[in-house]
Amino acid sequence: GAADALRFGETPPRTPGQRLFQRSLSIDGLEDEDRGLCLALQLADVHFAPVASVVDPLERLAAQRELRILADVDLSSMTLRSVRGAERLCGPSDVYEAEWRPRELDFLDGHSALGGMARTLFATLSDAPDERPWLDALLNLAPAVIQCIPALTRHWKRWREAGAQSGANGRP
């Protein structure tokens, strides 16, 4: 890809089948009595260096970008109470020492945890290479909330009653 060509030249010496890039996204959630639904998202993009043979796995590391996103969802209104982020960039020389840098995500505070989030994200975050991982990770926030809803059965009755009063078919 383009990042590979910038780092290692137009045609880096790679053996057939050698991996260039790997992305992982982990999402977890729990219910906290005071904070509501607490979600954690972690995205890691790993770019691999071309190598003839690998002795130490870190020899393959060209660069790594990690994002952490912590979001608290108010379960009574199904809105985002707070969204915080941090990012860490590293290469082979600083993989153990790279610092986490905070990222402002408060533009999502108060936003519906379910509807319209993609529209807000596309309008707020650019498609620039440095922004795209944030966009990709945050687009998974609403689906993460939806995945947690079945585990929140004790709230269903209240949501149904609120939905019936608002005409929302009793759904959160």
Side-chain angles (χ1 to χ4, degrees):
D4 206 42
L6 285 173
R7 284 190 182 95
F8 307 112
E10 201 56 42
T11 54
R14 291 189 181 274
T15 58
Q18 194 174 72
R19 184 176 281 179
L20 300 174
F21 174 84
Q22 179 178 342
R23 171 172 278 178
S24 63
L25 176 65
S26 301
I27 303 171
D28 199 4
L30 66 90
E31 183 180 6
D32 179 90
E33 194 171 310
D34 296 324
R35 292 172 43 208
L37 178 62
C38 304
L39 297 172
L41 291 81
Q42 182 149 347
L43 179 140
D45 286 345
V46 180
H47 295 264
F48 294 100
V51 292
S53 65
V54 178
V55 177
D56 178 356
L58 281 180
E59 288 180 32
R60 295 218 44 219
L61 179 67
Q64 179 170 298
R65 172 188 305 259
E66 295 175 274
L67 309 179
R68 282 194 304 210
I69 300 165
L70 302 173
D72 293 346
V73 178
D74 182 318
L75 292 174
S76 62
S77 63
M78 292 306 285
T79 58
L80 296 170
R81 183 176 287 156
S82 82
V83 182
R84 301 164 310 285
E87 177 176 40
R88 178 167 64 177
L89 304 170
C90 67
S93 63
D94 64 348
V95 68
Y96 297 113
E97 295 84 23
E99 298 287 327
W100 287 95
R101 296 175 303 168
R103 169 66 189 251
E104 292 297 324
L105 298 172
D106 56 356
F107 68 92
L108 289 170
D109 292 357
H111 196 286
S112 169
L114 299 172
M117 195 176 310
R119 182 175 36 258
T120 299
L121 292 170
F122 281 112
T124 306
L125 299 173
S126 74
D127 201 28
D130 286 348
E131 290 285 296
R132 189 59 201 225
W134 286 101
L135 178 63
D136 292 345
L138 288 165
L139 284 170
N140 286 280
L141 193 53
V145 172
I146 291 168
Q147 290 292 317
C148 292
I149 287 174
L152 303 171
T153 55
R154 68 186 190 92
H155 299 283
W156 288 6
K157 180 179 180 193
R158 180 172 33 86
W159 289 337
R160 283 187 61 79
E161 292 167 354
Q165 292 171 1
S166 69
N169 298 330
R171 295 184 204 142

